[in-house]
């Protein structure tokens, strides 16, 4: 900020001779020539300005061309393609029909959208009320419980209708993405926080440990996924089966297992509540293994920013280690936790490489997340119109999440 | 001063009150950290160990090869063509890095140091591209490189298709811009008095003091290009197949030849590993300060 303003004030001054730079009263003394200095100034300024402009525009041109052609233009073109009946060869313009076929009917779509909107509104109102009342109550959420229930009803009404009349495999892939997000995001954040906290203590080989934890994150996902394919093989002598054998368990089919986890455990549940398949859980394990290191690094930088005095003061008051962690570390890190949650959540909707490499046909649709499904729809079934429509839906979900992230980041109560 | 000393002593006595508990705490702490490290490392150990086994050994219950089979690497390199893929990936990675450096240094300089109409709008549009999932851009970009949108011919299975689309990204521009903004204006004023223009100021003054962010940009460009998978998968067939695509295809081509697959996996890992070990400070700092690249 400061940089900019100082640049502004200096810039017109530099090209002129030192005399003109100087105090204003000099100009006042020379009042008969008042018109002259500004014109000189203008001429000098405009020459430098023209040079600046030419430089600036020619400097950004290469980046603009590439980012426009391969980053921005494709968004518009994808939307254009989604309005066309496009299978390998370009067909007729069909408007929003591709979208309609995804949702089944617009009515379903609006029920779902309404559910989400009500929930967001409720949260927003609560936030505003709390601010107005200027206090934070532990039980204020109770008042909003009915609204949450209403939003849930709206959402599930629309969703179940969609599952019947809409594009079921795509909707199922969104459910799989949700499973994947719920299974990985909280786990990797908690493990990341714990490891970062332990590493932050006074220990030996700190750098060495950090180097090791970070390794899975920087190594190519395809390479490590190929290794996970072997570790979680269905053969009785695979590492995963040998490991559970230590506890006297029977060998499992791991990434070949399409049965939902709760059913596998012998519970008689159907549908969403039966949970993800074991094959998807293997993919989650890979996700956690990869991203813990990233979370550790971000948390470590956050831990470094907590003032030492706060800890010292609390220690003098006789706080235990656990109390320090619970009442100082966690609240101080809450913005980082929130940031990591949103970044990881958005990441699950983009995740592709490791899922694509780890999936096998016998795991069926149970491991296909949204981005993988869109890719298959386009790559194997060459339904370009439909696939781009789905990608726009995915994009909208990510936009929504980013919007919520920015809104909440701005409103965030620090000691939440 | 005195107060602080008293405080520190006081803290010291609190900590010393329970030595047994402290030692126990240390043991738990190290145990957790070591278990975590073993889990992080195990897949890498397994990869290397299997890559040195004979075909028979990979099918048995063994942790280590009886005699390391180094010729597996030679076989993976030539027969399984990992050598060819390795060269392709290397060239693509270098090309992408050079492209990113040129475009992002120039653009970041313009955004950071020159005021021009549209600068905010263009920069915001750039940043917006970071949110867009690859699923959205993949299909239109395929049409783009096939010459269906702009008639520049079909780039399929060439060096250009793997490099040009990635030769500029918002992340690198953002990172460098943040740094270039901090270069004091006095330096620019002095340079201008000496008759230097923007280009000379950039190459002779700004760049030499910007090695830290440039290394970070190179690191991210390297991992991005080297690890790329879905785009090379759809736009390469034979000639320009990259290491990641080769590895993925070998999963089905190899059948039971796990030892060759693992040798290929190790080969694909080595450049990243070497780079990481030598620059891990910049790597982790780059991620911690930008927080991006989720």
């Amino acid at each position: 900020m400061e940089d900019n303003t100082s640049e502004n004030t200096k810039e017109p001054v530099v090209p002129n001779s030192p005399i003109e730079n100087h105090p204003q009263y000099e100009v006042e003394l020379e009042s008969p020539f008042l018109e002259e200095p500004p014109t000189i100034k203008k001429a000098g300024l405009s020459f430098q300005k023209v040079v600046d402009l030419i430089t600036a525009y020619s400097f950004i041109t290469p980046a603009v061309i590439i980012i426009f052609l391969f980053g921005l233009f494709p968004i518009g073109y994808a939307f254009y393609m989604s309005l066309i009946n496009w299978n390998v060869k370009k067909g007729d313009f069909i408007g929003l029909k591709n979208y309609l076929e995804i949702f089944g009917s617009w009515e379903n779509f609006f029920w779902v959208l309404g559910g989400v909107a009500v929930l967001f509104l409720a949260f927003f109102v609560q936030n505003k009320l709390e601010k107005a009342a200027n206090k934070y109550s532990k039980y204020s959420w109770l008042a909003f419980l009915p609204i949450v229930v209403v939003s849930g009803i709206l959402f599930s009404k629309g969703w179940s209708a969609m599952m019947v009349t809409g594009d079921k495999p795509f909707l199922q892939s969104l459910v799989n993405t949700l499973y994947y997000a719920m299974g990985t995001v909280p786990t990797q954040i908690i493990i990341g926080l714990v490891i970062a906290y332990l590493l932050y203590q006074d220990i030996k080989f700190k750098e060495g440990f950090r180097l090791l934890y970070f390794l899975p994150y920087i190594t190519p996902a395809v390479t490590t996924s190929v290794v996970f394919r072997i570790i979680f093989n269905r053969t009785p002598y695979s590492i995963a089966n040998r490991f559970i054998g230590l506890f006297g368990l029977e060998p499992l089919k791991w990434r070949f297992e399409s049965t939902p986890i709760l059913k596998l455990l012998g519970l008689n549940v159907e549908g969403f509540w039966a949970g993800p398949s074991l094959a998807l859980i293997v993919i989650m394990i890979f996700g956690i293994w990869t991203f813990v290191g990233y979370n550790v690094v971000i948390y470590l930088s956050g831990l470094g920013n907590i003032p030492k005095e706060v800890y010292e003061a609390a220690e003098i008051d006789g706080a235990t280690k656990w109390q320090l962690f619970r009442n100082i570390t966690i609240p101080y890190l809450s913005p980082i936790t929130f940031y990591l949650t949103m970044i990881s959540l958005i990441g699950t909707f983009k995740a592709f490489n490791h899922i694509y490499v780890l999936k096998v046909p016998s795991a069926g649709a149970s491991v296909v997340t949204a981005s993988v499904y869109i890719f298959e729809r386009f790559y194997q079934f060459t339904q370009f119109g439909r696939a781009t429509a789905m990608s726009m839906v995915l994009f909208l979900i990510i936009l929504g999440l980013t919007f919520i992230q920015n809104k909440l980041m701005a409103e965030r109560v620090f000691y939440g | 001063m005195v107060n602080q000393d008293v405080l520190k002593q006081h803290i010291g006595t609190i900590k010393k009150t329970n030595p047994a508990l402290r030692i126990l705490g240390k043991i738990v702490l190290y145990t957790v950290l070591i278990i975590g490290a073993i889990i992080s490392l195990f897949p890498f150990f397994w990869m290397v160990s299997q890559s040195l086994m004979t075909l028979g050994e990979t099918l048995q219950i063994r942790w280590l090869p009886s005699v390391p089979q180094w010729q597996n690497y030679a076989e993976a390199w030539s027969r399984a063509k990992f050598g060819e893929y390795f060269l392709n990936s290397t060239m693509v990675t270098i090309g992408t890095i050079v492209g990113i450096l040129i475009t992002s240094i120039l653009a970041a300089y313009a955004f950071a140091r020159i005021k021009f109409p549209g600068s905010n709008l263009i920069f915001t549009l750039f940043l917006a591209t970071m949110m867009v999932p690859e699923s959205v851009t993949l299909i239109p970009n395929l049409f783009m490189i096939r010459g269906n949108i702009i008639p520049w011919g079909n780039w399929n299975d060439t060096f250009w298709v793997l490099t040009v689309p990635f030769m500029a990204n918002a992340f690198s521009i953002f990172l460098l811009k943040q740094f270039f903004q901090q270069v004091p204006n006095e330096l620019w004023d002095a340079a201008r008095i000496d008759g230097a223009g923007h280009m000379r100021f950039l190459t002779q003054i700004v760049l030499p003091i910007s090695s830290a962010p440039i290394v970070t940009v190179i690191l991210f460009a390297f991992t991005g290009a080297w690890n790329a998978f879905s785009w090379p998968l759809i736009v390469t067939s034979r000639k320009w197949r990259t290491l990641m695509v080769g590895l993925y295809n070998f999963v089905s081509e190899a059948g039971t030849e796990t030892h060759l697959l693992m040798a290929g996996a190790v080969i694909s890992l080595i450049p990243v590993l070497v780079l990481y070990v030598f620059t891990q400070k910049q790597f982790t700092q780059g991620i911690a300060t930008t927080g991006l690249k989720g």
Side-chain angles (χ1 to χ4, degrees):
Chain A
M1 273 299 169
E2 262 178 283
D3 266 352
N4 271 340
T5 50
S6 64
E7 210 173 48
N8 287 347
T9 48
K10 256 172 209 164
E11 217 157 5
V13 167
V14 178
N16 300 312
S17 72
I19 305 162
E20 269 127 12
N21 295 344
H22 275 301
Q24 287 178 332
Y25 18 96
E26 224 168 308
V27 178
E28 274 171 43
L29 281 176
E30 294 172 298
S31 52
F33 307 102
L34 200 62
E35 295 108 288
E36 270 217 348
T39 48
I40 292 168
K41 236 182 181 177
K42 246 184 189 166
L45 210 164
S46 67
F47 174 71
Q48 184 57 43
K49 252 221 149 121
V50 167
V51 171
D52 277 357
L53 286 183
I54 292 172
T55 315
Y57 287 122
S58 51
F59 274 18
I60 64 166
T61 302
V64 166
I65 291 175
I66 290 172
I67 292 180
F68 177 78
L69 284 184
F70 298 101
L72 286 168
F73 173 78
I75 306 172
Y77 200 74
F79 180 65
Y80 165 71
M81 288 180 82
S82 74
L83 303 177
I84 288 169
N85 183 19
W86 199 321
N87 305 305
V88 191
K89 281 236 147 57
K90 188 177 164 184
D92 299 329
F93 183 86
I94 51 169
L96 295 173
K97 193 156 169 272
N98 278 322
Y99 294 90
L100 188 64
E101 277 171 11
I102 292 172
F103 302 128
S105 76
W106 289 116
E107 200 191 328
N108 301 341
F109 175 67
F110 285 118
W111 284 117
V112 168
L113 202 68
V116 176
V118 166
L119 187 68
F120 189 65
L121 216 68
F123 188 85
F124 207 68
V125 169
Q126 180 195 12
N127 223 349
K128 279 266 143 58
L129 283 184
E130 250 168 32
K131 250 187 202 156
N134 204 14
K135 63 180 177 197
Y136 172 74
S137 160
K138 245 185 176 169
Y139 301 103
S140 69
W141 60 269
L142 270 176
F144 289 88
L145 203 60
I147 302 179
V148 174
V149 172
V150 168
S151 116
I153 291 172
L154 287 178
F155 187 88
S156 57
K157 180 179 158 59
W159 186 264
S160 48
M162 250 192 223
M163 281 295 240
V164 177
T165 55
D167 189 324
K168 201 176 173 211
F170 177 63
L171 299 172
Q172 184 58 45
S173 79
L174 285 176
V175 173
N176 290 342
T177 313
L178 184 67
Y179 282 140
Y180 178 73
M182 291 195 306
T184 53
V185 176
T187 324
Q188 75 201 23
I189 281 176
I190 290 168
I191 298 176
L193 176 60
V194 169
I195 289 181
Y197 188 69
L198 295 182
L199 276 183
Y200 198 66
Q201 308 300 309
D202 182 24
I203 58 150
K204 290 195 172 71
F205 313 117
K206 199 177 280 198
E207 293 282 299
F209 276 120
R210 201 183 60 177
L211 188 131
L212 294 184
Y213 290 134
F214 200 54
L215 206 53
Y217 177 72
I218 60 127
T219 45
V222 175
T223 307
T224 44
S225 303
V226 165
V227 182
F228 266 65
R229 279 178 73 101
I230 289 165
I231 291 176
F232 288 96
N233 221 335
R234 60 178 156 187
T235 48
Y237 53 80
S238 72
I239 300 290
N241 275 332
R242 274 196 252 170
F243 181 75
I244 61 167
L246 294 178
F247 304 97
L249 295 169
E250 289 294 306
L252 293 169
K253 277 160 65 189
W254 298 108
R255 61 193 176 81
F256 296 86
E257 183 61 80
S258 61
T259 319
I261 183 73
L262 289 183
K263 254 189 157 173
L264 207 61
L265 292 172
L267 295 170
N268 192 16
V269 225
E270 290 292 334
F272 177 79
W273 301 107
S277 69
L278 186 61
L280 187 57
I281 289 175
V282 169
I283 293 173
M284 291 178 192
I285 293 172
F286 179 89
I288 296 164
W289 178 79
T290 309
F291 282 103
V292 159
Y294 173 78
N295 292 350
V296 168
V297 168
I298 302 280
Y299 269 130
L300 270 176
S301 73
L303 282 166
N305 290 334
I306 302 177
K308 285 262 185 304
E309 295 78 33
V310 184
Y311 281 113
E312 283 170 6
E315 274 183 333
I316 288 165
D317 291 342
T320 62
K321 277 265 176 199
W322 169 250
Q323 283 173 324
L324 292 181
F325 182 69
R326 175 66 195 88
N327 298 321
I328 297 176
T329 313
I330 290 184
Y332 259 101
L333 291 179
S334 71
I336 294 185
T337 306
F338 181 70
Y339 170 78
L340 284 175
T341 309
M342 293 312 292
I343 280 286
S344 319
L345 195 60
I346 293 169
T348 59
F349 283 94
K350 294 183 180 173
F352 178 82
N353 292 359
H354 61 283
I355 304 175
Y356 195 75
V357 176
L358 278 168
K359 78 180 174 57
V360 282
S362 60
S366 78
V367 289
V368 175
T369 60
S371 53
V372 173
Y373 184 70
I374 294 170
F375 186 82
E376 286 183 340
R377 204 67 186 246
F378 136 73
Y379 194 51
Q380 285 160 16
F381 301 102
T382 58
Q383 293 179 314
F384 297 151
R386 182 69 80 79
T388 43
M390 287 168 184
S391 75
M392 293 313 283
V393 173
L394 191 70
F395 186 33
L396 280 185
I397 294 173
I398 290 173
L399 274 184
L401 287 172
T402 314
F403 173 75
I404 293 173
Q405 177 191 17
N406 290 339
K407 261 275 178 281
L408 295 188
M409 272 294 218
E411 308 244 335
R412 185 86 189 152
V413 186
F414 196 78
Y415 296 98
Chain B
M1 272 300 125
V2 180
N3 255 342
Q4 282 223 332
D5 285 343
V6 173
L7 283 183
K8 274 194 183 130
Q9 262 183 353
H10 191 59
I11 292 163
T13 51
I14 291 172
K15 276 186 175 165
K16 269 172 201 152
T17 43
N18 219 331
L21 211 68
R22 258 174 67 80
I23 290 171
L24 189 75
K26 282 263 152 152
I27 292 173
V28 172
L29 197 152
Y30 278 106
T31 314
V32 173
L33 286 178
I34 289 169
I35 289 176
I38 290 174
I39 294 173
S40 290
L41 265 191
F42 180 77
F44 298 106
F45 158 75
W46 193 238
M47 185 192 318
V48 174
S49 171
Q50 292 237 312
S51 74
L52 294 171
M53 289 180 184
T54 61
L55 179 58
E57 280 173 327
T58 59
L59 301 172
Q60 295 161 13
I61 307 173
R62 303 188 65 107
W63 291 106
L64 288 166
S66 49
V67 181
Q69 307 288 315
W70 296 104
Q71 74 274 16
N72 286 350
Y73 283 86
E75 212 178 330
W77 184 268
S78 52
R79 188 170 77 76
K81 286 193 183 166
F82 280 113
E84 199 181 294
Y85 306 149
F86 187 92
L87 287 181
N88 287 347
S89 280
T90 308
M91 276 154 81
V92 166
T93 303
I94 292 171
T96 310
I97 291 175
V98 171
I100 286 180
L101 282 181
I102 294 172
T103 60
S104 56
I105 286 172
L106 289 177
Y109 180 88
F111 284 123
R113 308 210 54 94
I114 306 174
K115 270 187 81 75
F116 58 94
S119 128
N120 277 336
L121 175 72
I122 297 169
F123 191 68
T124 314
L125 281 176
F126 278 13
L127 288 184
T129 59
M130 295 210 288
M131 275 193 315
V132 184
E134 216 183 352
S135 320
V136 172
T137 52
L138 203 68
I139 305 171
N141 277 343
L142 192 67
F143 280 77
M144 186 71 95
I145 62 100
R146 281 181 180 167
N148 295 345
I149 296 167
I150 298 172
W152 49 24
N154 194 344
W155 303 7
N156 211 33
D157 208 19
T158 59
F159 171 74
W160 307 109
V161 75
L162 294 172
T163 49
V164 171
F166 306 99
M167 279 187 178
N169 64 62
F171 170 76
S172 310
I173 297 173
F174 176 76
L175 195 78
L176 291 174
K177 177 185 172 246
Q178 298 297 95
F179 193 85
F180 289 171
Q181 270 172 344
Q182 291 163 16
V183 175
N185 278 315
E186 285 72 23
L187 285 179
W188 169 229
D189 295 339
R192 191 131 69 158
I193 287 165
D194 289 345
H198 285 294
M199 201 60 184
R200 251 182 70 197
F201 180 61
L202 172 62
T203 51
Q204 294 183 1
I205 297 181
V206 176
L207 287 188
I209 57 173
S210 309
S211 59
I214 287 174
V215 169
T216 309
V217 166
I218 292 176
L219 288 175
F220 283 125
F222 182 95
T223 50
W226 189 264
N227 301 353
F229 175 60
S230 55
W231 180 250
L233 182 69
I234 63 169
V235 298
T236 61
S237 37
R238 283 275 146 212
K239 202 160 167 257
W240 279 95
R241 191 183 267 191
T242 63
L243 202 41
M244 293 307 142
V245 179
L247 200 61
Y248 174 72
N249 285 326
F250 198 66
V251 168
S252 50
E253 287 162 13
T256 52
E257 290 182 301
T258 312
H259 57 308
L260 292 189
L261 182 65
M262 290 298 100
V266 174
I267 291 172
S268 76
L269 203 66
I270 288 170
V272 181
L273 226 52
V274 170
L275 191 76
Y276 176 53
V277 169
F278 284 108
T279 58
Q280 63 116 352
K281 266 242 165 70
Q282 277 103 327
F283 236 128
T284 42
Q285 264 168 16
I287 285 179
T289 49
T290 60
L292 291 159
K293 272 272 167 173

